[in-house]
Amino acid sequence: MPKISKRAEHMPASPIRKLVPFSITAKQKGIKVYHLNIGQPDIETPERALNALKDIHTKVLEYSLSEGNLEYRQELAKYYNQVGYTDITPRNFIVTNGGSEALNFAISVLCDEGDEIIIPEPYYANYNGFSSALGVHVQAVHSTIETGFALPDIEEFEKKITDKTKAILICNPGNPTGYLYSKEELQKLANIAIKHDIVIISDEVYREYVYDDEKQTSILSFPELADNCIVIDSESKRYSMCGARIGFFVTRSEKLLHAAMLFAQARLSPPLLAQIVATEAHKDDEAYITAVRNEYTKRRNLLVELLNEIPGVICPKPKGAFYCIAELPVDDTEKFAQWLLESYHNQNETVMVAPAGGFYSDPELGKKQVRMAYVLKEEDLRRAVEILKDALTQYAQQ
């Protein structure tokens, strides 16, 4: 029996996907599962993007450029220009296999084994996975449900900075919290990055989906960070095309761009078909984005309102993305989430949630919390909360 690496041994399990076997078993028993655990929208991909896939006439599915095909990068530059970053050109992009690869590039470019990145928690669980695989240590700065997961005091970041610190990583708007950082909060991070000559990595894949007439502020808005910021972006959530696996690494820094290109060349190229589809998705997309934003606003309002009506449940109202963190009146949400799939049903239906422990550096901090994604239509969200309410009652009576 071969011995696996320490890297593999230390790779954390995904809190989003590790309960999947229990979900599969439940479905095999004939139980319908409402998936609130994963950010897979049920909203249709733009029709023109799907038509581009159907109408491909090429006779050879060839490699694309390592940095991504020029036509797609030109479309990306137009998009960034339209949202206010008029100096961004096709040269500022490296197209990647999803936002995940863009983040891998960013950490690989900035960090050696044993280096550190600072992340406000709770944070997207795969940040742990990407860092662990590269031998990079996450230093978490704790935010709380009582503040709606606002940026912690900047002094808490200062306390974490050492000679091993290479970057601060944020998600804006946030996964798993839905928190939207203000320009004032981002300015504080910009100041600390300049002071210590570290990089801000800003995961902005949910940029379009902010609510209540709020606007997302990109880390690109701070000219002083031209050499000290990287944006991670993706088409997965913007156009409901998660399976296309198309994202991009964005920076104004020639040094960071050149270094990232070495990794891009080593993996040859990003997916050709996804670039063709994404190029079309960006064209005349305003009506699509507006309609989807309006739909998510309604879903958010419904889910958060219904959750907060359940005795003992606390759920701050997120300002962006399509997730919320809810605190439940249970001792251990991982056990509860497994029980939902393994031992409970309501008229042959149950709910799948993501225990929030995996979104914290110390799982105990999220032991009573879950992440839920409002990616289902309103009638399904309403039924899912009805099931959850009944489940909490029955669980308490065990």
Side-chain angles (χ1 to χ4, degrees):
M1 179 71 69
K3 185 178 179 180
I4 64 169
S5 68
K6 287 185 172 60
R7 182 180 294 112
E9 287 177 348
H10 295 151
M11 192 71 175
S14 168
I16 305 165
R17 293 179 178 266
K18 69 180 180 180
L19 293 173
V20 166
F22 298 102
S23 170
I24 291 171
T25 300
K27 291 174 184 176
Q28 288 172 343
K29 294 176 182 176
I31 296 172
K32 179 177 180 177
V33 178
Y34 290 90
H35 284 275
L36 301 179
N37 63 302
I38 192 167
Q40 173 56 66
D42 64 356
I43 289 169
E44 293 183 1
T45 305
E47 186 177 4
R48 70 179 302 143
L50 295 175
N51 287 340
L53 186 61
K54 296 172 186 174
D55 294 340
I56 289 173
H57 299 299
T58 181
K59 297 186 183 301
V60 178
L61 296 178
E62 61 189 8
Y63 287 124
S64 70
L65 294 173
S66 292
E67 63 268 40
N69 282 347
L70 180 59
E71 183 182 6
Y72 178 45
R73 287 183 292 115
Q74 287 173 331
E75 206 61 50
L76 291 177
K78 287 180 191 174
Y79 160 65
Y80 269 72
N81 295 165
Q82 288 167 358
V83 296
Y85 310 109
T86 55
D87 64 320
I88 297 295
T89 74
R91 271 188 47 76
N92 296 110
F93 298 91
I94 297 176
V95 182
T96 57
N97 291 276
S100 299
E101 187 179 58
L103 185 58
N104 260 320
F105 284 0
I107 298 173
S108 298
V109 161
L110 296 171
C111 299
D112 291 315
E113 189 167 353
D115 282 339
E116 300 171 352
I117 57 174
I118 299 172
I119 315 178
E121 67 177 351
Y123 49 75
Y124 177 45
N126 282 345
Y127 294 164
N128 263 339
F130 301 142
S131 301
S132 177
L134 294 167
V136 175
H137 303 300
V138 171
Q139 298 296 321
V141 179
H142 185 54
S143 65
T144 66
I145 197 168
E146 289 78 16
T147 67
F149 303 104
L151 188 75
D153 289 341
I154 207 68
E155 290 78 13
E156 297 303 312
F157 288 85
E158 288 274 10
K159 291 176 186 176
K160 298 286 185 180
I161 292 178
T162 71
D163 59 357
K164 291 286 189 180
T165 305
K166 303 301 180 183
I168 295 172
L169 170 58
I170 61 171
C171 187
N172 187 34
N175 175 6
T177 65
Y179 186 78
L180 180 69
Y181 292 113
S182 68
K183 189 168 186 178
E184 292 72 26
E185 288 173 318
L186 294 173
Q187 184 66 67
K188 292 176 182 178
L189 292 178
N191 293 344
I192 203 171
I194 295 301
K195 177 182 176 181
H196 296 279
D197 195 23
I198 58 178
V199 172
I200 304 292
I201 306 171
S202 185
D203 181 344
E204 301 184 3
V205 305
Y206 301 97
R207 179 184 297 118
E208 273 73 24
Y209 300 119
V210 297
Y211 315 113
D212 306 324
D213 298 320
E214 298 271 5
K215 296 291 183 185
Q216 189 259 13
T217 300
S218 173
I219 204 68
L220 294 171
S221 299
F222 301 89
E224 66 269 31
L225 289 177
D227 292 323
N228 292 77
C229 79
I230 296 168
V231 166
I232 307 302
D233 208 340
S234 167
E235 311 291 21
S236 291
K237 310 306 165 80
R238 179 173 294 121
Y239 298 122
S240 193
M241 48 196 291
C242 301
R245 307 312 303 138
I246 196 79
F248 38 101
F249 173 109
V250 194
T251 185
R252 294 187 176 102
S253 167
E254 287 291 334
K255 183 178 181 179
L256 296 177
L257 199 67
H258 174 74
M261 266 299 295
L262 299 177
F263 291 94
Q265 290 167 350
R267 63 81 165 105
L268 300 182
S269 71
L272 173 66
L273 295 181
Q275 291 180 75
I276 293 170
V277 170
T279 299
E280 284 303 308
H282 271 280
K283 297 175 181 176
D284 299 321
D285 67 347
E286 185 175 348
Y288 177 88
I289 295 294
T290 299
V292 175
R293 184 186 300 117
N294 291 340
E295 178 63 23
Y296 283 143
T297 301
K298 291 188 292 184
R299 293 178 180 191
R300 177 204 62 165
N301 292 345
L302 177 66
L303 179 61
V304 173
E305 178 183 347
L306 292 176
L307 286 173
N308 282 313
E309 288 176 357
I310 300 175
V313 173
I314 301 169
C315 183
K317 195 172 190 178
K319 296 180 180 178
F322 40 62
Y323 305 102
C324 61
I325 290 278
E327 190 163 293
L328 305 182
V330 300
D331 291 333
D332 187 332
T333 54
E334 187 154 333
K335 291 179 181 177
F336 175 66
Q338 184 173 329
W339 176 84
L340 280 171
L341 297 168
E342 203 173 30
S343 306
Y344 168 86
H345 65 85
N346 180 308
Q347 298 176 22
N348 273 338
E349 296 182 330
T350 192
V351 175
M352 189 173 181
V353 295
F359 298 99
Y360 287 88
S361 57
D362 177 1
E364 289 294 314
L365 294 171
K367 199 169 183 179
K368 294 187 176 184
Q369 298 174 1
V370 294
R371 186 195 74 168
M372 300 188 201
Y374 41 95
V375 292
L376 305 179
K377 56 190 176 182
E378 289 181 86
E379 63 190 74
D380 287 344
L381 289 175
R382 193 178 294 278
R383 174 60 179 151
V385 176
E386 180 182 289
I387 293 168
L388 181 64
K389 182 178 180 180
D390 176 70
L392 286 168
T393 299
Q394 292 200 35
Y395 194 72
Q397 293 171 352
Q398 291 189 109

